[in-house]
Amino acid sequence: MTTRSTRSPRRRTVVALAVVLAVLAGFMVRLVDIQVVNADEHVADSLEIALRGSQTLYGTRGQIVDETGQTLAGSILEYDCQLDPLLITQIDAQVLDEKSDARLWAEVSDDVAEILETTPDAVREIVGAALAADPGSRYAELERGVSTEQFRALADLGTPYIVCLQHPARAYPDGAVAGNLVGFVGTDGDALEGLEKSYDDCLTATNGKRAYQKGKDGVIIPGTKVQQDAVDGGTLELTIHRDLQWYLQQLIGEQVQDMRAERGAILVVETATGKIRAAAEYPTADPNEPGAVEGVRGSKIFEGTFEPGSTFKALTAATVIDAGGQTPASTVVASSLENFPGGARVRDAFQHPAYTYTLAGVLIDSSNAGISKFSERVPSSTRYEYFKKFGIGSGSAVQFSGEESGDIHPVDEWGAQTTYNTSFGQGLTTTMPELAGAYGAIANGGLRMPLSLIESCTTADGTVVEPELPEPTRVISESTSAQVRAMLENVFLQAPYAKAVEIPGYRIGGKTGTGEKSDGKGGYKAGVYYTTMVGFAPADDPEYVVVVTLDEPKKVTSSAANATAFQKAMTQVLKTYRVMPSTTAPKLLPKFG
């Protein structure tokens, strides 16, 4: 029998046990919260508050490679080296007291200077200045950006007062090859130009951190290390071919110098895919020394606009065939100077009487008057719509940093003169990518493919991210495409420069353009031109479009200045991609009706 006197102690025991269990449960809940539920938050807090020592773990910025995997931009290790001035004085004192067989700083500093390619006095001044400011100084910066070779040489000196901390740095192993595209990063690692900037999200690494507690003697306390690993940047694969890019850069450099031009460029596009296989220009920047060439940083291919001149006659011809019922054999009567409604006057580049030109003949002779008369066979609004479908004024899908778009005003802003000038490439501007895309549509059965410069970004965990591109645009019918291609092939067969652009064994087609340059005051500069040659091959089954431009050539001021570079560029493209020679013969079209 349980009495009241025995029940009371038991109740107290049960209550006490319950309290103890409740306290333990509270501790358990708190422990789970700290170590499981909010572990990351508490680790972060500990890194910021509890742990006194830390070290940045640098992630590696991603590579930029060409279509074959060759490196255009990568990361190397560099070192920031520092000195301990107080330790230097202490060791020197021990040496002078014959308590150490170490070398004196006066001797070591000679070796340091030789390794860093500076003077011994400059090295010794670093230590002297630090001690003058603080006799107990334990830190003085020796040099930043020390190479791995220099770091190893410093380490071989065996001195305890030289410490070097490693960090990644950017390197461009092929120098200026594709330098206009790749761009560069600053000394602080920030992307400043080109694809380095445009695709910084793909390439950027996430740094990690190692933190720890140290005792008074500077020794790391065991068990206190906490580490967050770095995440490397992704690999950006381009569509360009490095070796082709290198060749074309040498070629356009020679052509610019030979023609005494201000600059020049070559753009190569694969017609079936819209992929840019080369985008060479001169002058261009070396990303290893981005400031070496004054005023040259980015890519004028993407950042420059120009009046395309007679290259636009092919777009007008395609429009009047596709929307106006014309054919290569359709005719107009045109003399070298024609007057049009509204007071517009159009003049050809050469004197001639009234010819009964075929549409093919207008392109072959590059008659401004003739194409102006053909342009009347469709409404101006229709021509404008076709120009826009060809991609003029729309830029490209490349997303290149600083990219410009051409400028074509709405039809209601065209005056009488502009109405006719636009038919032969004046009164509007375009870019090399836009022009390449337009000719790509003509060469690709009338289907304009969006241009691309990026194959993919492969992240550090292996995920492959491809760029989102617009859908292809149907510009003209396949029949129209075939007719325009035939006319452009005849341009390269029958034009005065035909021999200069001929590639034995291959059928090619294209057009030239000599655009005037604005004087910034509503007029044009006298005797100054921007010349263009654009073409495709093989003409019977086009695989590649090549555009060559020269800015203000002085030796030859017409677009014939581009012929040599175009012929060599297209020849190299066909060799690089092993395009088979043509097996059919072209059909000659009449110039006159």
mmCIF file of all heavy atoms in Angstrom, residues 170-201:
data_model
loop_
_atom_site.group_PDB
_atom_site.id
_atom_site.type_symbol
_atom_site.label_atom_id
_atom_site.label_comp_id
_atom_site.label_asym_id
_atom_site.label_seq_id
_atom_site.Cartn_x
_atom_site.Cartn_y
_atom_site.Cartn_z
ATOM 1 N N ARG A 170 44.697 35.963 -66.755
ATOM 2 C CA ARG A 170 44.250 35.646 -68.107
ATOM 3 C C ARG A 170 45.418 35.620 -69.072
ATOM 4 O O ARG A 170 46.344 36.457 -68.977
ATOM 5 C CB ARG A 170 43.234 36.694 -68.563
ATOM 6 C CG ARG A 170 42.198 36.194 -69.555
ATOM 7 C CD ARG A 170 41.371 35.091 -69.004
ATOM 8 N NE ARG A 170 40.222 34.764 -69.863
ATOM 9 C CZ ARG A 170 39.671 33.572 -69.886
ATOM 10 N NH1 ARG A 170 40.164 32.599 -69.138
ATOM 11 N NH2 ARG A 170 38.612 33.331 -70.638
ATOM 12 N N ALA A 171 45.375 34.679 -70.022
ATOM 13 C CA ALA A 171 46.415 34.573 -71.042
ATOM 14 C C ALA A 171 45.772 34.249 -72.384
ATOM 15 O O ALA A 171 44.766 33.542 -72.460
ATOM 16 C CB ALA A 171 47.421 33.485 -70.672
ATOM 17 N N TYR A 172 46.357 34.797 -73.435
ATOM 18 C CA TYR A 172 45.855 34.604 -74.794
ATOM 19 C C TYR A 172 46.992 34.030 -75.621
ATOM 20 O O TYR A 172 47.823 34.773 -76.157
ATOM 21 C CB TYR A 172 45.347 35.931 -75.358
ATOM 22 C CG TYR A 172 44.300 36.569 -74.468
ATOM 23 C CD1 TYR A 172 44.666 37.461 -73.451
ATOM 24 C CD2 TYR A 172 42.953 36.244 -74.597
ATOM 25 C CE1 TYR A 172 43.709 38.018 -72.607
ATOM 26 C CE2 TYR A 172 41.998 36.799 -73.763
ATOM 27 C CZ TYR A 172 42.381 37.682 -72.767
ATOM 28 O OH TYR A 172 41.431 38.230 -71.929
ATOM 29 N N PRO A 173 47.070 32.699 -75.733
ATOM 30 C CA PRO A 173 48.259 32.052 -76.307
ATOM 31 C C PRO A 173 48.541 32.403 -77.758
ATOM 32 O O PRO A 173 49.693 32.350 -78.186
ATOM 33 C CB PRO A 173 47.948 30.556 -76.156
ATOM 34 C CG PRO A 173 46.463 30.472 -75.985
ATOM 35 C CD PRO A 173 46.080 31.723 -75.276
ATOM 36 N N ASP A 174 47.514 32.762 -78.534
ATOM 37 C CA ASP A 174 47.727 33.097 -79.943
ATOM 38 C C ASP A 174 47.764 34.599 -80.183
ATOM 39 O O ASP A 174 47.658 35.055 -81.331
ATOM 40 C CB ASP A 174 46.639 32.460 -80.815
ATOM 41 C CG ASP A 174 46.822 30.960 -80.923
ATOM 42 O OD1 ASP A 174 47.973 30.503 -80.878
ATOM 43 O OD2 ASP A 174 45.815 30.237 -81.033
ATOM 44 N N GLY A 175 47.880 35.382 -79.120
ATOM 45 C CA GLY A 175 48.020 36.824 -79.257
ATOM 46 C C GLY A 175 46.846 37.466 -79.963
ATOM 47 O O GLY A 175 45.697 37.360 -79.525
ATOM 48 N N ALA A 176 47.117 38.111 -81.089
ATOM 49 C CA ALA A 176 46.097 38.882 -81.788
ATOM 50 C C ALA A 176 45.119 38.028 -82.600
ATOM 51 O O ALA A 176 44.150 38.563 -83.135
ATOM 52 C CB ALA A 176 46.760 39.896 -82.712
ATOM 53 N N VAL A 177 45.351 36.729 -82.712
ATOM 54 C CA VAL A 177 44.430 35.880 -83.470
ATOM 55 C C VAL A 177 43.061 35.902 -82.792
ATOM 56 O O VAL A 177 42.916 35.491 -81.641
ATOM 57 C CB VAL A 177 44.954 34.433 -83.569
ATOM 58 C CG1 VAL A 177 43.933 33.552 -84.292
ATOM 59 C CG2 VAL A 177 46.279 34.409 -84.306
ATOM 60 N N ALA A 178 42.072 36.410 -83.504
ATOM 61 C CA ALA A 178 40.711 36.581 -82.989
ATOM 62 C C ALA A 178 40.658 37.540 -81.810
ATOM 63 O O ALA A 178 39.676 37.549 -81.065
ATOM 64 C CB ALA A 178 40.086 35.233 -82.594
ATOM 65 N N GLY A 179 41.695 38.355 -81.668
ATOM 66 C CA GLY A 179 41.709 39.312 -80.560
ATOM 67 C C GLY A 179 40.560 40.290 -80.628
ATOM 68 O O GLY A 179 40.042 40.725 -79.592
ATOM 69 N N ASN A 180 40.134 40.640 -81.841
ATOM 70 C CA ASN A 180 39.005 41.548 -82.002
ATOM 71 C C ASN A 180 37.707 40.936 -81.500
ATOM 72 O O ASN A 180 36.787 41.642 -81.101
ATOM 73 C CB ASN A 180 38.847 41.933 -83.476
ATOM 74 C CG ASN A 180 38.673 40.724 -84.382
ATOM 75 O OD1 ASN A 180 39.340 39.706 -84.219
ATOM 76 N ND2 ASN A 180 37.787 40.829 -85.345
ATOM 77 N N LEU A 181 37.620 39.610 -81.510
ATOM 78 C CA LEU A 181 36.416 38.915 -81.051
ATOM 79 C C LEU A 181 36.508 38.569 -79.566
ATOM 80 O O LEU A 181 35.583 38.823 -78.800
ATOM 81 C CB LEU A 181 36.209 37.627 -81.854
ATOM 82 C CG LEU A 181 36.077 37.765 -83.366
ATOM 83 C CD1 LEU A 181 35.985 36.387 -84.011
ATOM 84 C CD2 LEU A 181 34.866 38.606 -83.726
ATOM 85 N N VAL A 182 37.630 37.980 -79.185
ATOM 86 C CA VAL A 182 37.788 37.488 -77.810
ATOM 87 C C VAL A 182 37.712 38.615 -76.801
ATOM 88 O O VAL A 182 37.078 38.488 -75.752
ATOM 89 C CB VAL A 182 39.114 36.720 -77.682
ATOM 90 C CG1 VAL A 182 39.402 36.390 -76.211
ATOM 91 C CG2 VAL A 182 39.065 35.441 -78.506
ATOM 92 N N GLY A 183 38.352 39.760 -77.111
ATOM 93 C CA GLY A 183 38.373 40.851 -76.145
ATOM 94 C C GLY A 183 39.401 40.595 -75.061
ATOM 95 O O GLY A 183 40.338 39.819 -75.241
ATOM 96 N N PHE A 184 39.220 41.203 -73.893
ATOM 97 C CA PHE A 184 40.205 41.044 -72.835
ATOM 98 C C PHE A 184 39.595 41.400 -71.488
ATOM 99 O O PHE A 184 38.497 41.951 -71.412
ATOM 100 C CB PHE A 184 41.441 41.919 -73.095
ATOM 101 C CG PHE A 184 41.129 43.374 -73.313
ATOM 102 C CD1 PHE A 184 41.081 44.263 -72.244
ATOM 103 C CD2 PHE A 184 40.876 43.858 -74.585
ATOM 104 C CE1 PHE A 184 40.789 45.607 -72.435
ATOM 105 C CE2 PHE A 184 40.587 45.205 -74.798
ATOM 106 C CZ PHE A 184 40.547 46.076 -73.716
ATOM 107 N N VAL A 185 40.320 41.047 -70.428
ATOM 108 C CA VAL A 185 39.922 41.413 -69.067
ATOM 109 C C VAL A 185 40.970 42.358 -68.504
ATOM 110 O O VAL A 185 42.108 42.395 -68.959
ATOM 111 C CB VAL A 185 39.775 40.167 -68.160
ATOM 112 C CG1 VAL A 185 38.723 39.220 -68.700
ATOM 113 C CG2 VAL A 185 41.110 39.437 -68.021
ATOM 114 N N GLY A 186 40.577 43.126 -67.494
ATOM 115 C CA GLY A 186 41.497 44.048 -66.854
ATOM 116 C C GLY A 186 42.398 43.352 -65.859
ATOM 117 O O GLY A 186 42.264 42.158 -65.580
ATOM 118 N N THR A 187 43.327 44.108 -65.289
ATOM 119 C CA THR A 187 44.248 43.535 -64.318
ATOM 120 C C THR A 187 43.532 43.051 -63.065
ATOM 121 O O THR A 187 44.036 42.198 -62.344
ATOM 122 C CB THR A 187 45.308 44.580 -63.923
ATOM 123 O OG1 THR A 187 44.645 45.772 -63.462
ATOM 124 C CG2 THR A 187 46.183 44.929 -65.112
ATOM 125 N N ASP A 188 42.318 43.597 -62.822
ATOM 126 C CA ASP A 188 41.537 43.155 -61.669
ATOM 127 C C ASP A 188 40.632 41.976 -61.999
ATOM 128 O O ASP A 188 39.865 41.525 -61.158
ATOM 129 C CB ASP A 188 40.693 44.314 -61.133
ATOM 130 C CG ASP A 188 39.777 44.911 -62.201
ATOM 131 O OD1 ASP A 188 39.786 44.415 -63.352
ATOM 132 O OD2 ASP A 188 39.053 45.877 -61.886
ATOM 133 N N GLY A 189 40.727 41.484 -63.250
ATOM 134 C CA GLY A 189 39.927 40.332 -63.644
ATOM 135 C C GLY A 189 38.567 40.663 -64.211
ATOM 136 O O GLY A 189 37.831 39.757 -64.629
ATOM 137 N N ASP A 190 38.194 41.949 -64.247
ATOM 138 C CA ASP A 190 36.896 42.341 -64.793
ATOM 139 C C ASP A 190 36.938 42.304 -66.324
ATOM 140 O O ASP A 190 37.882 42.799 -66.936
ATOM 141 C CB ASP A 190 36.510 43.748 -64.331
ATOM 142 C CG ASP A 190 36.158 43.793 -62.859
ATOM 143 O OD1 ASP A 190 35.881 42.721 -62.284
ATOM 144 O OD2 ASP A 190 36.171 44.893 -62.273
ATOM 145 N N ALA A 191 35.902 41.705 -66.927
ATOM 146 C CA ALA A 191 35.819 41.634 -68.381
ATOM 147 C C ALA A 191 35.534 43.022 -68.946
ATOM 148 O O ALA A 191 34.595 43.693 -68.506
ATOM 149 C CB ALA A 191 34.725 40.656 -68.791
ATOM 150 N N LEU A 192 36.321 43.433 -69.931
ATOM 151 C CA LEU A 192 36.224 44.803 -70.438
ATOM 152 C C LEU A 192 35.797 44.902 -71.892
ATOM 153 O O LEU A 192 35.287 45.937 -72.309
ATOM 154 C CB LEU A 192 37.572 45.516 -70.267
ATOM 155 C CG LEU A 192 38.091 45.660 -68.837
ATOM 156 C CD1 LEU A 192 39.444 46.345 -68.839
ATOM 157 C CD2 LEU A 192 37.101 46.434 -67.973
ATOM 158 N N GLU A 193 36.010 43.848 -72.693
ATOM 159 C CA GLU A 193 35.760 43.988 -74.126
ATOM 160 C C GLU A 193 35.447 42.633 -74.752
ATOM 161 O O GLU A 193 35.793 41.580 -74.215
ATOM 162 C CB GLU A 193 37.004 44.595 -74.796
ATOM 163 C CG GLU A 193 36.763 45.197 -76.168
ATOM 164 C CD GLU A 193 35.880 46.429 -76.137
ATOM 165 O OE1 GLU A 193 36.297 47.461 -75.588
ATOM 166 O OE2 GLU A 193 34.755 46.359 -76.675
ATOM 167 N N GLY A 194 34.764 42.661 -75.895
ATOM 168 C CA GLY A 194 34.549 41.486 -76.713
ATOM 169 C C GLY A 194 33.729 40.401 -76.042
ATOM 170 O O GLY A 194 32.878 40.649 -75.186
ATOM 171 N N LEU A 195 33.998 39.155 -76.445
ATOM 172 C CA LEU A 195 33.251 38.021 -75.910
ATOM 173 C C LEU A 195 33.548 37.801 -74.431
ATOM 174 O O LEU A 195 32.723 37.226 -73.707
ATOM 175 C CB LEU A 195 33.577 36.759 -76.714
ATOM 176 C CG LEU A 195 33.151 36.818 -78.190
ATOM 177 C CD1 LEU A 195 33.652 35.589 -78.937
ATOM 178 C CD2 LEU A 195 31.647 36.947 -78.325
ATOM 179 N N GLU A 196 34.723 38.221 -73.984
ATOM 180 C CA GLU A 196 35.007 38.154 -72.547
ATOM 181 C C GLU A 196 33.927 38.911 -71.775
ATOM 182 O O GLU A 196 33.490 38.478 -70.704
ATOM 183 C CB GLU A 196 36.383 38.777 -72.247
ATOM 184 C CG GLU A 196 37.568 37.983 -72.752
ATOM 185 C CD GLU A 196 38.033 36.927 -71.757
ATOM 186 O OE1 GLU A 196 37.208 36.439 -70.975
ATOM 187 O OE2 GLU A 196 39.232 36.581 -71.807
ATOM 188 N N LYS A 197 33.484 40.028 -72.330
ATOM 189 C CA LYS A 197 32.463 40.844 -71.677
ATOM 190 C C LYS A 197 31.052 40.339 -71.989
ATOM 191 O O LYS A 197 30.224 40.212 -71.087
ATOM 192 C CB LYS A 197 32.602 42.296 -72.120
ATOM 193 C CG LYS A 197 31.614 43.253 -71.466
ATOM 194 C CD LYS A 197 31.875 44.687 -71.911
ATOM 195 C CE LYS A 197 30.897 45.655 -71.265
ATOM 196 N NZ LYS A 197 31.152 47.056 -71.703
ATOM 197 N N SER A 198 30.789 40.021 -73.257
ATOM 198 C CA SER A 198 29.446 39.604 -73.660
ATOM 199 C C SER A 198 29.011 38.324 -72.962
ATOM 200 O O SER A 198 27.836 38.150 -72.638
ATOM 201 C CB SER A 198 29.394 39.400 -75.184
ATOM 202 O OG SER A 198 29.715 40.577 -75.873
ATOM 203 N N TYR A 199 29.955 37.411 -72.750
ATOM 204 C CA TYR A 199 29.626 36.113 -72.160
ATOM 205 C C TYR A 199 30.335 35.924 -70.822
ATOM 206 O O TYR A 199 30.755 34.827 -70.473
ATOM 207 C CB TYR A 199 29.964 34.991 -73.142
ATOM 208 C CG TYR A 199 29.035 35.010 -74.336
ATOM 209 C CD1 TYR A 199 29.309 35.800 -75.451
ATOM 210 C CD2 TYR A 199 27.845 34.290 -74.329
ATOM 211 C CE1 TYR A 199 28.442 35.854 -76.524
ATOM 212 C CE2 TYR A 199 26.972 34.339 -75.401
ATOM 213 C CZ TYR A 199 27.278 35.123 -76.496
ATOM 214 O OH TYR A 199 26.401 35.177 -77.561
ATOM 215 N N ASP A 200 30.424 37.014 -70.079
ATOM 216 C CA ASP A 200 31.079 36.979 -68.772
ATOM 217 C C ASP A 200 30.373 36.019 -67.814
ATOM 218 O O ASP A 200 31.014 35.367 -66.996
ATOM 219 C CB ASP A 200 31.114 38.393 -68.186
ATOM 220 C CG ASP A 200 31.995 38.500 -66.954
ATOM 221 O OD1 ASP A 200 33.089 37.915 -66.964
ATOM 222 O OD2 ASP A 200 31.592 39.161 -65.988
ATOM 223 N N ASP A 201 29.048 35.905 -67.935
ATOM 224 C CA ASP A 201 28.300 35.002 -67.053
ATOM 225 C C ASP A 201 28.737 33.562 -67.240
ATOM 226 O O ASP A 201 28.737 32.779 -66.275
ATOM 227 C CB ASP A 201 26.797 35.126 -67.319
ATOM 228 C CG ASP A 201 26.224 36.437 -66.817
ATOM 229 O OD1 ASP A 201 26.925 37.124 -66.049
ATOM 230 O OD2 ASP A 201 25.092 36.786 -67.206
#
